[in-house]
Amino acid sequence: QPLTERVSDKSVAEQRLLRSHVEGRTLITDMLRAISPSLLEADPVSVNELSRTGVLAVTCGSSLGFHFLRLVLRDWFFDAFLVQGRVAGSAMVKRRITEVYFLSALHSLMCAVFSLRKLFNGRWDSHHGSEGMLCFSLGYTAYSLLSLRKYVCRDPLFAISEVANFVKMASCLRSRGVQWIVPLLMSSEIPVACLNALRMLSELGVAPSSVTWR
């Protein structure tokens, strides 16, 4: 009987794992299908598999969202924070660097929260929410390459890293049955979130001995 119970428990665990890997239709794919069926693959088995045109559309839309967020932050926060040196060229450069650090910190924080929620809820291999995070991360990667295009040739390692991330996210959106691995991929952003927050505080002039740093 103990052997039978172990076999039964194993079959239940396997069925639960199989159900967690089954991808249902998502809001993003439903919206893309409503806009144009060509944004998704024609294969009926590929529920959430985006076409090349779909990946391009998602990348453009997400990148525009990041640019809009950057403009809002510039008008509402950074201009007021750096008002004393607004006319100086160094202040303009500092503001741009701070904006990029803020977007990077926001991206890494969202990815870290996504992974940690999956971990603490015991749904580490669940695909739910993975497509949205892939689109979010894909847009950030594309926008960072565009906003920092001057440094692509000066820093080849940065270019290789960002291009590799872009290919990774696009490949997940173009593939079938792999979105359950997205929480594991996003977990690499957990230490980056803390590092980007410290970098942004440094650019804003916050002293390392202050309470905020600690």
Side-chain angles (χ1 to χ4, degrees):
Q1 186 173 0
L3 179 60
T4 306
E5 292 179 355
R6 287 199 297 269
V7 172
S8 178
D9 293 341
K10 182 178 180 181
S11 64
V12 171
E14 290 177 350
Q15 292 177 4
R16 188 177 301 171
L17 181 62
L18 181 60
R19 286 197 300 269
S20 68
H21 288 184
V22 175
E23 297 179 6
R25 294 176 59 175
T26 63
L27 178 61
I28 295 176
T29 52
D30 287 340
M31 292 176 58
L32 294 176
R33 187 176 288 106
I35 296 173
S36 175
S38 63
L39 300 178
L40 300 173
E41 291 292 344
D43 187 0
V45 180
S46 304
V47 179
N48 298 323
E49 187 176 346
L50 274 63
S51 63
R52 292 185 177 89
T53 308
V55 172
L56 179 61
V58 166
T59 303
C60 293
S62 185
S63 300
L64 288 175
F66 273 99
H67 184 64
F68 175 77
L69 177 61
R70 183 178 182 178
L71 294 179
V72 171
L73 291 172
R74 180 180 299 176
D75 293 337
W76 288 2
F77 179 71
F78 289 115
D79 278 348
F81 193 87
L82 302 173
V83 65
Q84 296 180 353
R86 186 180 300 177
V87 296
S90 59
M92 295 293 294
V93 174
K94 182 178 181 180
R95 186 185 67 179
R96 293 173 183 174
I97 295 175
T98 308
E99 291 170 356
V100 174
Y101 276 144
F102 186 89
L103 294 179
S104 179
L106 176 64
H107 167 258
S108 56
L109 179 62
M110 293 295 292
C111 295
V113 170
F114 174 77
S115 294
L116 291 175
R117 284 185 61 187
K118 294 286 187 180
L119 176 62
F120 293 141
N121 292 336
R123 303 176 61 186
W124 185 253
D125 57 353
S126 174
H127 71 277
H128 295 289
S130 296
E131 191 172 30
M133 289 305 302
L134 287 173
C135 297
F136 176 78
S137 185
L138 191 66
Y140 166 76
T141 305
Y143 185 72
S144 64
L145 282 171
L146 291 175
S147 60
L148 300 175
R149 57 190 179 275
K150 295 181 180 179
Y151 303 95
V152 171
C153 296
R154 300 178 186 177
D155 191 354
L157 292 179
F158 163 76
I160 293 174
S161 175
E162 293 301 304
V163 170
N165 285 329
F166 184 88
V167 172
K168 178 178 64 177
M169 302 303 169
S171 299
C172 290
L173 288 173
R174 295 263 305 141
S175 302
R176 180 176 67 248
V178 299
Q179 294 187 9
W180 60 271
I181 203 175
V182 172
L184 180 61
L185 297 178
M186 296 296 180
S187 63
S188 62
E189 297 292 332
I190 295 176
V192 180
C194 301
L195 180 61
N196 286 333
L198 294 178
R199 286 175 174 173
M200 188 181 65
L201 291 175
S202 176
E203 291 295 331
L204 290 174
V206 180
S209 59
S210 64
V211 179
T212 306
W213 267 79
R214 297 177 182 177

